[in-house]
Amino acid sequence: MGAELAAADVPREDLFVSFHVPAQGYDTARRAADQALEALQLERADLCLLDGTQGAFTDTWRALSRLRADGRVRAVGVAGFGVSELRRLIDATGSVPAVHQIELHPWLQQLPLREFHGERGIVTAAASPAANAALLSDETVTALAAKYGKTPAQIVLRWHLQNGTVAVAASATTTRIRENFGIFDFELADDDVAVVAELDNGTRV
């Protein structure tokens, strides 16, 4: 990855680089972060996420907070926590994650977590924003795509945008990546945002 970043014809300030560290304790987490930065060939990344709550996640969080204090990462966050784990982390360390990355899409809207994020100023990052593409064939989504003259993916990503979540949309296809950016020239009507919200059925992918 580091070689690709170095070869990219894009200014560093236009890139947002993040990496994950498992919950594995203070010293191991520091070594893992150092290895990740070395692999990225970067002195500083934009975001480091503590991934999961298995193991010594409060000690791992202290290691990541030290990385931020040392200027090795601009911000630190978590991934895959519940409200109770977030409370435990914040109470134990006095530090609030900047970002929480969770599975989030119209079928799984995670309202209690999002409410907690709003109370604490945590940015919600939506992993699997289209339920691993399963939502792209949903009848409600495809009907809205036809109504707005957009693709189903653009409808789902626009729904995330209007809900204030950061959609982590991954693709290895250049056409799909370009398509994912085509969400800033239209807006879903409030009624249509509500229609998508009615799709919540607790499905995890």
Side-chain angles (χ1 to χ4, degrees), residues 4-181:
E4 287 82 354
L5 286 173
D9 188 22
V10 180
R12 172 65 182 91
E13 60 268 20
D14 291 343
L15 297 172
F16 190 92
V17 181
S18 66
F19 64 94
H20 292 237
V21 170
Q24 51 195 355
Y26 188 94
D27 293 334
T28 305
R30 286 297 299 266
R31 287 193 296 271
D34 288 341
Q35 291 168 0
L37 288 166
E38 182 178 354
L40 291 166
Q41 298 180 19
L42 293 176
E43 291 295 322
R44 183 174 72 163
D46 298 291
L47 176 66
C48 178
L49 294 176
L50 165 54
D51 198 352
T53 59
Q54 301 299 316
F57 68 83
T58 55
D59 286 340
T60 304
W61 180 248
R62 290 186 178 95
L64 302 192
S65 297
R66 182 73 255 174
L67 283 174
R68 180 184 56 197
D70 291 342
R72 306 294 308 282
V73 295
R74 290 174 54 202
V76 290
V78 296
F81 278 51
V83 171
S84 61
E85 290 86 5
L86 283 173
R87 290 188 188 278
R88 179 179 162 191
L89 182 72
I90 294 168
D91 290 345
T93 66
S95 176
V96 179
V99 178
H100 186 195
Q101 182 174 299
I102 54 175
E103 181 181 346
L104 174 62
H105 44 74
W107 289 342
L108 183 70
Q109 296 178 32
Q110 303 267 37
L111 292 179
L113 267 172
R114 287 163 57 197
E115 289 173 0
F116 185 82
H117 295 167
E119 294 169 1
R120 298 302 183 104
I122 300 170
V123 173
T124 303
S128 304
N132 287 351
L135 266 162
L136 304 186
S137 58
D138 181 274
E139 290 182 1
T140 297
V141 173
T142 56
L144 288 173
K147 174 180 177 179
Y148 285 91
K150 291 290 184 177
T151 67
Q154 289 168 335
I155 295 298
V156 172
L157 293 176
R158 183 69 207 186
W159 177 83
H160 281 285
L161 182 65
Q162 288 182 224
N163 275 286
T165 60
V166 176
V168 184
S171 177
T173 305
T174 302
T175 301
R176 181 60 60 82
I177 292 170
R178 288 181 178 143
E179 176 187 315
N180 289 343
F181 282 102

Side-chain angles (χ1 to χ4, degrees), residues 180-195:
N180 289 343
F181 282 102
I183 63 172
F184 301 106
D185 59 353
F186 79 106
E187 185 171 320
L188 296 174
D190 290 345
D191 288 348
D192 290 330
V193 172
V195 165

